[in-house]
Amino acid sequence: MSIFSRIFKVGQAAANKAIDKMEKPEIMLEQAIRDKDKQIMEAKKSVQGCIATERQTKAMLEKEKAEKLSWEQKAEMALKAGKEELAVKALQRATEHEQKMTTLETQWQSQRAAVDELKKEIIKMGDELAEFKRNKDFIIAQSKAAQVKKDIYEAKARISNNNKADDLMARMKAKAERQSYEADAAKELSEVSGGGGDALEKEFESMGASGGASVEVNDKLAALKAKLGTA
């Protein structure tokens, strides 16, 4: 992975981390996109410098080729003119340029390969940023959906905690009902026991409370007393 890809990935990771904590995802995503654009622009400037160096090396290489060819032609002209010594000197100069040309050729090939690779990385970064821009709305929607889901679970948790209050109310209601039943039982028991008095007297009082015996019953009672001599 090139230095530019690493820079882009680090920025992308930072943006993802920010998304996890942000309140307004659209604002943070717009800032992340601006940061990516800035990173790509800086990367392009660096690549432009590399391209300029590669072009300069290529120009020097072409110049050395031309010089080599020129001195070879001069050597040929000197040899045709019968000046062999001058031809040798011209060939020596051509050799010097050929040596420089060989060194520059190696440098240029290396620089060109590096520039081609950097160009690919710039294109890749641009594609990744374009994809990021296309998916911005989707990422925002996902973030909001996750927040809604979180809110739902928190609401459920609060409702679950409120069950404690419901349980307390149910227990208090059951206790009140029990006390009501106990009060009814106490009343019933009080009526049965008569408050601790003579049960027989209570019974006769109850008979008296019924409005008194009938005339027929009184006549029979008088006859019973006469028979027993208790009248």
Side-chain angles (χ1 to χ4, degrees):
M1 183 182 292
S2 72
I3 181 63
F4 301 115
S5 291
R6 287 198 293 271
I7 291 173
F8 187 85
K9 292 299 181 183
V10 168
Q12 195 172 38
N16 291 336
K17 185 176 181 181
I19 290 172
D20 292 337
K21 298 181 179 179
M22 63 190 172
E23 295 180 358
K24 294 184 178 180
E26 56 273 16
I27 295 177
M28 295 299 296
L29 284 172
E30 288 292 346
Q31 183 60 50
I33 289 173
R34 287 193 292 269
D35 291 343
K36 298 295 179 297
D37 281 328
K38 183 178 179 181
Q39 289 174 358
I40 291 176
M41 290 300 298
E42 291 175 351
K44 284 183 177 180
K45 289 181 180 179
S46 297
V47 175
Q48 286 173 3
C50 295
I51 292 174
T53 300
E54 180 263 332
R55 294 289 187 270
Q56 186 177 21
T57 302
K58 178 68 179 303
M60 292 172 63
L61 173 61
E62 295 300 328
K63 182 179 179 181
E64 293 300 325
K65 286 182 178 180
E67 289 292 336
K68 172 180 174 293
L69 179 61
S70 176
W71 283 105
E72 286 177 343
Q73 291 174 345
K74 289 177 180 179
E76 184 178 346
M77 290 173 57
L79 190 61
K80 287 180 179 180
K83 297 181 180 181
E84 184 174 338
E85 184 177 351
L86 185 60
V88 170
K89 291 180 179 180
L91 289 173
Q92 289 175 341
R93 185 68 62 85
T95 300
E96 291 178 5
H97 288 291
E98 183 177 10
Q99 291 173 347
K100 293 179 181 179
M101 185 184 71
T102 300
T103 300
L104 289 172
E105 178 73 26
T106 301
Q107 291 177 356
W108 176 71
Q109 291 291 352
S110 176
Q111 290 172 0
R112 186 178 67 172
V115 165
D116 289 342
E117 186 65 26
L118 290 172
K119 286 179 179 179
K120 291 178 182 179
E121 290 296 331
I122 292 292
I123 293 172
K124 183 178 179 181
M125 289 171 66
D127 291 342
E128 289 175 344
L129 179 57
E131 181 181 0
F132 190 67
K133 289 179 178 179
R134 291 194 303 271
N135 292 332
K136 181 186 69 174
D137 293 338
F138 177 71
I139 294 172
I140 292 173
Q142 276 190 320
S143 177
K144 290 183 177 180
Q147 183 61 47
V148 170
K149 187 175 182 180
K150 178 183 177 183
D151 293 342
I152 289 173
Y153 282 122
E154 289 178 349
K156 285 184 177 181
R158 287 193 293 269
I159 292 173
S160 177
N161 290 335
N162 287 337
N163 287 339
K164 295 179 180 179
D166 294 340
D167 292 343
L168 177 60
M169 292 178 65
R171 289 196 300 271
M172 294 298 293
K173 182 179 179 181
K175 183 177 180 180
E177 290 176 349
R178 177 68 180 180
Q179 288 175 341
S180 178
Y181 294 145
E182 290 177 352
D184 291 342
K187 180 181 178 182
E188 182 178 343
L189 183 60
S190 174
E191 291 175 351
V192 171
S193 64
D198 190 328
L200 184 56
E201 289 181 358
K202 292 290 184 180
E203 186 176 350
F204 278 100
E205 287 176 3
S206 177
M207 287 177 62
S210 64
S214 65
V215 175
E216 183 180 357
V217 172
N218 287 332
D219 290 344
K220 288 182 180 181
L221 180 61
L224 180 60
K225 288 179 178 182
K227 184 181 178 179
L228 297 176
T230 59

